[in-house]
Amino acid sequence: MTFDYDLFVIGGGSGGVRAARVAAATGAKVALAEEFRMGGTCVIRGCVPKKLMVFASTYAEMFDDARAYGWDVTDGPFDWPKFRTHLHKELDRLEGIYRKLLDTSGVEICDARASLEDAHTVALSTGRTVTAKHILIATGGRPVVPDIPGAELGITSNDVFLLDDLPKSILIIGGGYIASEFAGILNGLGVKVTQFYRGAQILRGFDDEARGLVAEGMREKGVNLHLGTNIVEMRAATDDDLQDDGMSAPVEEGKPVSVPSGRPSKGIWVKATNGKEAIFDQVMFATGRAPNTENMGLQDAGVQIGRRGEILVDDYSQTGVPSIYAIGDVTNRVQLTPVAIREGMAFVETVFKGNPTKVDHDLIPSAIFTQPEMGTIGLTEEAAREIEPVEIYCTSFKPMNHAFAGRTDRVMMKLVVSRETRKVLGCHIVADHAGEMIQLAAIAIRMGATKEDFDRTVAVHPTMAEELVTMKDPVRSA
């Protein structure tokens, strides 16, 4: 059978774009369809704009530190419209780079929504139908909004970058990394932030000691964090509603409406599971993400979907339909951009280079850009204890730069070590630039470094990271 393309990629995020480019470099005829903007969640409405907002939000503390170090600086108000304009210029630039990379690689770009008609046929929203020998689905995920009364009044992380004005107060619902990161960002930008999480501690799945220190640090910086708390309903606020109960700030009368259009000018009234009521200028849901698999004709084409809506694939990212593959967040394996890119590269190795390649999803380092920041790789102390006897090496201290400035911020460095093999099974850091540190520590841990390898490494002084190689005695064994 003759096909229009050797490969058709659905989704223009980092994983899909990388797979398309590398496949085209092998001589394959490749096309890619994207219904929104090239770059996907990470570039357009996730990692990149969020990290730029993290940078912006830390300057208020920097001004305080500068004065402590002898600089004569004066605080000024944060200019959100100016920042937002610059932000979107940068996103436009990055999208242009993605398009240029595809174009120079010989990949045909289809600015359209794509769905499947069968194992080899793709229907585009433009009315065009094409065939491909192989189809790769890389459509990513989307924020989930809970089914509660008034939920349509809230926003998600997708909307934050589009706000006309920063709200005076905001309620963030959720306790994962997205909720906790935006709590720190908006707090740093001068918004009064309240965060509700239904669980006992934020950042479920991460090391207990580390996430506890992050929560403590967030509270010290001004985030009003309520654990074991959720909301049961929300609606447009009225003049008769409670204006101040210690959980929220009164909303300014006549404050300009932000997205979504039509948000109540008097704010949003919410009722919590603990019975308390409050009014917020804005409510943001960060209650999880779902794979983008709806209305794509996947099941009609024979592709199996899991209970969370994810595409089920094998170790080589192949679905039950031999010609159809899927990578990235749409498979709900590890929801990280670098992992999607690796899966895309492995797909090309397997399908177009004849070199069957699996992606190793173990020992993946990650950073959570909360304030304070966390970097992590490997097993948590809790998970390691369930597997084998371990020793825990841990230290917490005020770093030099913060101590001099009179700040209360604390750093934590933690190694989880196998008592039998002496290998470092996990490393968890809470500190400024923890993401930068964990990337380097991950190399050693990935290579199987032992605690004694860390001990033999000469410390770089004075640094925070030197503590990773100077912790000589375990604080506990299990």
Side-chain angles (χ1 to χ4, degrees), residues 3-8 27-30 131-135 352:
F3 300 100
D4 297 323
Y5 301 97
D6 298 306
L7 171 64
F8 196 97
K29 187 178 181 181
V30 182
T131 60
K133 184 177 181 180
H134 303 286
I135 297 172
F352 290 94

Side-chain angles (χ1 to χ4, degrees), residues 60-75 400-407:
E61 278 192 341
M62 288 184 188
F63 293 146
D64 288 338
D65 288 355
R67 283 188 287 270
Y69 276 85
W71 289 93
D72 183 11
V73 295
T74 303
D75 291 359
M400 180 189 298
N401 62 327
H402 292 173
F404 186 87
R407 281 165 57 181

Side-chain angles (χ1 to χ4, degrees), residues 164-282:
D164 293 329
D165 300 279
L166 285 180
K168 180 181 177 183
S169 64
I170 190 168
L171 170 64
I172 298 177
I173 310 296
Y177 70 92
I178 295 176
S180 301
E181 287 173 338
F182 275 107
I185 289 169
L186 294 171
N187 177 66
L189 295 180
V191 179
K192 183 173 181 180
V193 177
T194 301
Q195 183 178 355
F196 285 1
Y197 179 51
R198 64 184 180 182
Q201 185 57 279
I202 59 171
L203 300 173
R204 181 171 61 89
F206 293 96
D207 185 85
D208 281 355
E209 199 167 8
R211 63 194 184 125
L213 184 57
V214 170
E216 179 184 330
M218 289 171 62
R219 284 190 170 110
E220 288 181 353
K221 292 177 185 295
V223 175
N224 191 9
L225 176 61
H226 294 257
L227 300 174
T229 308
N230 206 342
I231 62 172
V232 292
E233 62 176 310
M234 51 193 281
R235 58 169 168 76
T238 68
D239 291 333
D240 295 330
D241 288 319
L242 184 66
Q243 287 290 317
D244 187 7
D245 66 349
M247 296 173 67
S248 61
V251 177
E252 295 179 65
E253 291 291 332
K255 187 175 177 62
V257 174
S258 303
V259 294
S261 179
R263 179 182 57 80
S265 61
K266 295 183 183 297
I268 301 170
W269 172 91
V270 302
K271 183 176 182 179
T273 49
N274 59 13
K276 290 188 177 181
E277 302 172 10
I279 296 174
F280 299 92
D281 193 37
Q282 191 61 270

Side-chain angles (χ1 to χ4, degrees), residues 291-315:
N292 280 324
T293 54
E294 293 183 351
N295 304 315
M296 288 187 61
L298 296 174
Q299 290 169 300
D300 292 339
V303 176
Q304 288 185 297
I305 304 297
R307 63 187 182 89
R308 293 185 177 88
E310 75 277 16
I311 295 177
L312 301 179
V313 294
D314 64 13
D315 291 341

